Amino acid sequence: MTDDAGHARVKDDNTPTRTESRTEPESVWDDGLIARRASEAPPSTETPVPEARTAAQAPPPPLAYDGLLRSRLDALRELVGLSRARLDGRTLAEAGKVLDEAAARRKLSGQHTVVAIAGATGSGKSQLFNALAGVAISETGVRRPTTAAPIACSWSDGAATLIDRLGIPGRLRRRPLQSPEGEAQLHGLVLVDLPDHDSAAVQHREHVDRILALVDAVIWVVDPEKYADAMLHERYLRPMAGHAEVTFVVLNQVDRLPGEAADLVLDDLRRLLDEDGIALGEYGEPGATVLGLSALTGEGIGELREALGQFVAERGAAARRISADLDAAAARLRPVYAAGGRTGLSEEARDEFSDRLADAVGATAAGQAAERAWRRNANRACGTPWLRLWHWCQDRREPPTGRHALRVPADEEATARQRVEQAVRTVADRAARGLPAPWAMAVREAAVRGAQGLPEALDEMATRATTPAGRPPRPGWWPVAVLAQASMTLLQIVGGLWLLAQIVGVMGPNLWVPVLLMVAGIIGGPAVEWSSRLAARGPARRYGLDAERRLREAAAGCGRARVLDPVAAELLRYREVREQFGRVTGASVG
């Protein structure tokens, strides 16, 4: 029974009405929707088949995503998990919302498509809603705003959970004019009439924004006066340009435009949509559907019904909506995942960092000192005893006081610390180059944490590396040179004693032999020492280089463990999230 305005009265869900007792087809609806009948429609006396009742009461199968969409959602979920420690919650909030909405929509019916009708005040969206339903469901009139709360109309069973998700109560759920042709054409459609998006009532706008985020598709109704409204384009159409495949834009009230004016306005509307970045579904290309119609006269309603019927029959709007939401979330996340160029630490940067640490601990100077020490030992072992005696006397007469030299290590220590800090800053800047800001900050923080205590660790390492484990190795010719030097010394002593014996008259005079022996010893000793110095250059150089290499390797190992490895771990984490982001977008990320 209907009132004078043509609206159905609200009934209690557990109380059968007289109409329900007369018309058996209405009793098969199990979703709590209020049945609608046109006042002129004759009551049906046909008795339904029990199997049809059972089929109507069976819950529809849930929505199924294809493999690509599931893979993208899984990648986004993994991406959010990997990024929680590096990005703030606000940055990941939209991605988390997309995941939640995708999971919630997947549990609901895949046989229904929820389409919202949105528009500005006076655009005639409620009139269009009634025209599609075939009966006056949504209130229309000159009072603004007319639609105060969303109204849902379902063309088939099983849509109750979908409408529950929209938060539309049972008293605002309707049925269209039931006709076999209309039900077959729009079977599976759930149409929602929204309040005006430009309403002065804040609650109305909140209804619009909340439901637009949940529906599978949107029909935007514009009129010849407000089709270029900045609020519509800037707040809704432009931000949702990526949702073109689930968007209808209809120019209502074309009956008010004379002659070819309707085509001109439609062309201008298409131009504005193109400027908004919305792809237009023309010539078989995927995109938004743009139509002109008049809800008052019925012009173009059939074309819209046909387009909606084909759109609903494809059963792909929900998945396309989730995919578009994924694209929008990925576009907003791109600045925090897409690098500006090649990232990472090159081998050249690593080697330079190791060289800086080696310079800080004085690896080159330590190698040179080791080389001088080896040559000094060789000179002392292979030099003349008189020269060694002179060096010994020099050391005894001038012992190192160290009073002035005590200030040098402190200055050198401060300089070495500055070199280490500079090396860490340089390698951190190179590692963070090209990274998005959050990951660049994470890399620098990892380097700074690793640099804490690095100078002390390098000092301790240098002490261990430069402390000799034993006597330096000696080449094979060293004993021969020592024996030759001893022989030259012996010749000098024998010649000197022989000459002294001749002087005191113990032996007969024969100056040539002792003089030759002494001359041979005096000349041969320095010659052996000079030859030993020449021969010692190669081994001493190798010994110094080996000492420098050990110190460099030790410094590099210390820097790698404390700085490079943590930085590399952050870079690896970034590469992982970048790969996941590439899976989300379905393309490679630079």
Side-chain angles (χ1 to χ4, degrees):
M1 183 175 181
T2 59
D3 55 16
D4 295 337
H7 295 285
R9 292 180 180 175
V10 179
K11 66 179 182 69
D12 184 78
D13 293 339
N14 298 323
T15 305
T17 63
R18 182 177 303 175
T19 304
E20 287 176 329
S21 62
R22 291 199 318 266
T23 58
E24 188 66 24
E26 288 183 1
S27 63
V28 301
W29 301 117
D30 66 336
D31 52 6
L33 300 179
I34 298 177
R36 294 292 302 173
R37 282 291 185 269
S39 58
E40 66 274 13
S44 175
T45 58
E46 182 179 355
T47 303
V49 181
E51 287 77 10
R53 183 191 301 269
T54 304
Q57 293 178 351
L63 179 65
Y65 298 147
D66 59 21
L68 177 60
L69 184 54
R70 288 199 306 270
S71 175
R72 294 181 64 193
L73 289 171
D74 292 341
L76 182 61
R77 189 175 296 105
E78 184 72 17
L79 181 68
V80 171
L82 290 173
S83 305
R84 290 193 187 278
R86 297 295 177 267
L87 303 179
D88 58 87
R90 290 177 298 177
T91 303
L92 300 174
E94 183 178 357
K97 185 177 180 181
V98 170
L99 291 173
D100 293 341
E101 297 298 341
R105 184 63 181 91
R106 188 176 184 180
K107 297 177 182 178
L108 303 178
S109 172
Q111 302 300 313
H112 292 81
T113 302
V114 183
V115 181
I117 297 184
T121 303
S123 62
K125 57 183 179 53
S126 296
Q127 198 173 38
L128 177 61
F129 181 83
N130 294 337
L132 291 173
V135 65
I137 293 177
S138 186
E139 182 181 356
T140 61
V142 296
R143 181 176 58 89
R144 298 288 181 261
T146 304
T147 306
I151 301 175
C153 181
S154 175
W155 268 255
S156 57
D157 296 333
T161 53
L162 281 170
I163 303 177
D164 290 341
R165 180 169 176 252
L166 302 180
I168 300 177
R171 61 185 177 82
L172 296 177
R173 305 182 187 187
R174 303 290 188 267
R175 277 292 187 184
L177 175 64
Q178 295 182 11
S179 64
E181 181 181 356
E183 290 184 5
Q185 187 179 30
L186 299 179
H187 183 78
L189 173 64
V190 178
L191 199 61
V192 181
D193 185 21
L194 298 180
D196 303 330
H197 70 76
D198 59 350
S199 173
V202 177
Q203 186 179 8
H204 295 181
R205 298 197 301 270
E206 291 176 350
H207 280 311
V208 173
D209 295 341
R210 178 179 59 83
I211 293 182
L212 285 180
L214 300 176
V215 297
D216 301 328
V218 183
I219 299 176
W220 288 101
V221 182
V222 298
D223 60 71
E225 296 178 355
K226 295 183 179 180
Y227 73 92
D229 180 55
M231 179 180 181
L232 170 65
H233 289 268
E234 294 176 5
R235 184 174 179 180
Y236 294 103
L237 293 179
R238 196 168 299 161
M240 298 189 68
H243 297 70
E245 293 187 41
V246 291
T247 300
F248 292 79
V249 182
V250 297
L251 176 65
N252 192 17
Q253 305 173 12
V254 294
D255 56 301
R256 297 169 49 193
L257 300 173
E260 298 180 354
D263 294 333
L264 296 177
V265 173
L266 277 173
D267 290 340
D268 194 48
L269 175 60
R270 292 188 179 95
R271 178 187 63 81
L272 292 174
L273 295 176
D274 183 68
E275 292 179 356
D276 291 335
I278 299 177
L280 302 181
E282 299 177 343
Y283 311 106
E285 296 293 329
T289 301
V290 182
L291 298 173
L293 53 82
S294 173
L296 180 63
T297 64
E299 179 185 354
I301 296 297
E303 185 180 357
L304 178 59
R305 278 179 173 272
E306 183 179 354
L308 273 177
Q310 182 179 358
F311 181 77
V312 173
E314 293 175 356
R315 302 286 190 266
R320 289 200 293 270
R321 170 62 195 262
I322 296 299
S323 180
D325 289 343
L326 265 176
D327 293 338
R332 289 182 175 87
L333 289 175
R334 177 171 289 276
V336 299
Y337 290 112
R342 185 177 179 180
T343 60
L345 275 177
S346 63
E347 289 298 325
E348 180 182 0
R350 293 173 178 270
D351 293 341
E352 182 178 349
F353 177 68
S354 300
D355 291 341
R356 286 174 177 266
L357 294 185
D359 292 341
V361 298
T364 302
Q368 294 173 352
E371 179 181 355
R372 289 193 299 270
W374 201 94
R375 295 175 64 177
R376 184 167 57 252
N377 292 336
N379 292 337
R380 289 179 177 178
C382 302
T384 61
W386 324 118
L387 182 61
R388 281 184 287 172
L389 180 61
W390 183 79
H391 282 304
W392 180 78
C393 294
Q394 287 290 106
D395 294 340
R396 292 295 300 273
R397 284 200 304 267
E398 300 178 1
T401 61
R403 179 174 297 272
H404 177 70
L406 284 176
R407 300 182 58 182
V408 177
D411 297 339
E412 292 181 354
E413 182 180 355
T415 303
R417 181 178 294 273
Q418 294 174 357
R419 289 180 178 177
V420 171
E421 293 175 354
Q422 179 63 29
V424 172
R425 284 195 299 269
T426 300
V427 76
D429 290 341
R430 291 194 175 185
R433 185 178 303 166
L435 291 177
W439 304 98
M441 182 180 298
V443 166
R444 291 190 175 94
E445 289 177 352
V448 170
R449 287 194 302 268
Q452 295 176 358
L454 180 59
E456 293 76 8
L458 288 173
D459 291 340
E460 182 180 355
M461 173 275 307
T463 302
R464 293 196 306 267
T466 55
T467 300
R471 299 181 65 182
R474 296 183 177 184
W477 54 264
W478 195 317
V480 177
V482 173
L483 180 61
Q485 190 65 261
S487 301
M488 295 301 103
T489 304
L490 184 60
L491 287 178
Q492 296 180 47
I493 294 174
V494 170
L497 293 176
W498 194 340
L499 184 60
L500 180 60
Q502 291 182 12
I503 293 175
V504 298
V506 175
M507 298 182 64
N510 187 2
L511 297 177
W512 292 105
V513 176
V515 170
L516 287 176
L517 291 177
M518 290 184 64
V519 171
I522 293 172
I523 297 176
V528 170
E529 181 179 355
W530 179 76
S531 301
S532 298
R533 287 186 177 182
L534 291 179
R537 288 182 178 179
R541 179 60 177 165
R542 288 192 296 271
Y543 181 72
L545 291 176
D546 186 61
E548 180 181 354
R549 177 186 56 79
R550 289 197 306 271
L551 191 54
R552 285 183 176 275
E553 290 178 353
C558 187
R560 181 172 56 253
R562 288 179 170 267
V563 177
L564 293 183
D565 287 350
V567 167
E570 290 296 334
L571 292 174
L572 179 60
R573 189 185 188 93
Y574 169 71
R575 283 193 291 269
E576 291 177 357
V577 299
R578 188 177 60 180
E579 291 175 1
Q580 294 298 331
F581 182 72
R583 289 179 56 197
V584 172
T585 59
S588 60
V589 182

